[in-house]
Amino acid sequence: MNKDELNAVKKEFERYRLMIEAYMAESAGKRAAGVPPKLFESMEYSLGAGGKRLRPVLCLAAAERCGLAAEAALPMALGLEMLHTATLIHDDLPCMDDDDMRRGKPSNHALFGETMAVLAGDALLAQSLSYPMTELKGIAAANILHAMAIFAQAIGPAGVCGGQVLDMDAEGGKEEADYVRRIAALKTGALIQAAVLAGAALGSDDAQLLKKYGDYALHLGSAFQIVDDILDVTSTAEELGKTPGKDSEQGKLTHVTVYGMDRAREMAEKESLEAKAALADILSSGDFLMQLPDYLVHRSF
């Protein structure tokens, strides 16, 4: 990726990210209605703590490329970021990964206590579903229903929740080939795939088109998780925004511990190529979604 391509990806990513940040601020009053102030403070603390906003960016980009204005998909994009934030709050809890830092700030439970952190995560999860259902406007009901079904399935036992269980049960998977790949596909990949597919489904009901976007997201999510595993080994706390080396310290299976650093990097490159191949016949090589896999993979090496 040359300098001009890199700058173009960063510019487009920032355009979407700023749209999301503005919408989060604009919608805060509506989202706070009826919520106990302390609970909403805890929810907003983690939701507003920063981060790449990758999942909502993917949702908006896919929606635009499938014929829907990005602005119309903002409630769905925010729902995805709410759910992602909920998983991070719960992931940091002492009973899970036990991390007191997230995105360079104190984790939710470190600031608000474990009980409030559990409830804030639960509340964000519930609102991630209810908010898009009530706020998506000017879109065919069938498209909204399809997008919400994609999202809801990604949250559940065959998605994020199932992936977290597998991640915590490293001993149970040591004898299973590609167990770490299955963890990544559920814990990280399911929500990334849902972000792309839900955005696309809001704009289109073309099954063949949605299949292409789903394949793209599957490989993108895999590449993203492999690079995350690499960064956990090679980055500092300041660069990561969380405690590095936690996976190794807790004996977790990662792409680095299972395949080694060099092989993990090769796998990330391969997944990036396969992501781009999935959309190569419908998007130009200079399109944001075509350049994003390389941008995400090479953020570490």
Side-chain angles (χ1 to χ4, degrees), residues 224-280:
F224 183 81
Q225 183 57 57
I226 295 168
V227 173
D228 257 18
D229 288 350
I230 293 171
L231 290 174
D232 189 65
V233 176
T234 62
S235 299
T236 65
E238 290 73 25
E239 290 168 333
L240 278 180
K242 60 182 180 179
T243 307
K246 293 287 285 187
D247 292 337
S248 176
E249 180 184 308
Q250 296 173 346
K252 290 192 173 184
L253 297 177
T254 72
H255 291 84
V256 175
T257 62
V258 172
Y259 300 106
M261 183 66 74
D262 290 343
R263 175 65 179 137
R265 286 176 171 169
E266 290 173 3
M267 292 168 73
E269 295 277 9
K270 182 175 183 291
E271 292 294 336
S272 172
L273 288 172
E274 292 192 13
K276 291 185 291 183
L279 296 180

Side-chain angles (χ1 to χ4, degrees), residues 138-158:
I139 302 170
N143 290 58
I144 294 175
L145 184 60
H146 189 191
M148 292 304 301
I150 291 166
F151 182 33
Q153 185 167 351
I155 294 171

Side-chain angles (χ1 to χ4, degrees), residues 20-143:
I20 294 155
E21 296 290 347
Y23 185 69
M24 283 171 56
E26 293 166 9
S27 65
K30 184 174 290 186
R31 291 183 288 107
V35 182
K38 191 66 176 178
L39 175 59
F40 192 70
E41 180 187 355
S42 179
M43 294 163 66
E44 286 294 284
Y45 170 77
S46 291
L47 187 61
K52 295 176 285 294
R53 310 300 190 199
L54 173 62
R55 291 146 191 87
V57 165
L58 287 169
C59 177
L60 298 184
E64 270 196 331
R65 282 150 185 81
C66 290
L68 184 70
E71 290 79 5
L74 279 167
M76 185 80 248
L78 180 53
L80 286 153
E81 188 65 8
M82 287 179 184
L83 188 278
H84 179 55
T85 300
T87 68
L88 298 183
I89 293 173
H90 286 171
D91 201 41
D92 290 335
L93 289 168
C95 64
M96 295 282 195
D97 281 356
D98 192 13
D99 203 326
D100 286 337
M101 185 169 71
R102 173 65 67 176
R103 291 172 171 168
K105 301 177 181 179
S107 298
N108 195 289
H109 72 270
L111 200 63
F112 294 92
E114 289 182 45
T115 301
M116 185 60 75
V118 170
L119 292 169
D122 289 348
L124 280 166
L125 190 156
Q127 200 171 57
S128 76
L129 292 167
S130 63
Y131 186 81
M133 285 291 287
T134 57
E135 295 302 317
L136 287 166
K137 310 289 186 185
I139 302 170
N143 290 58

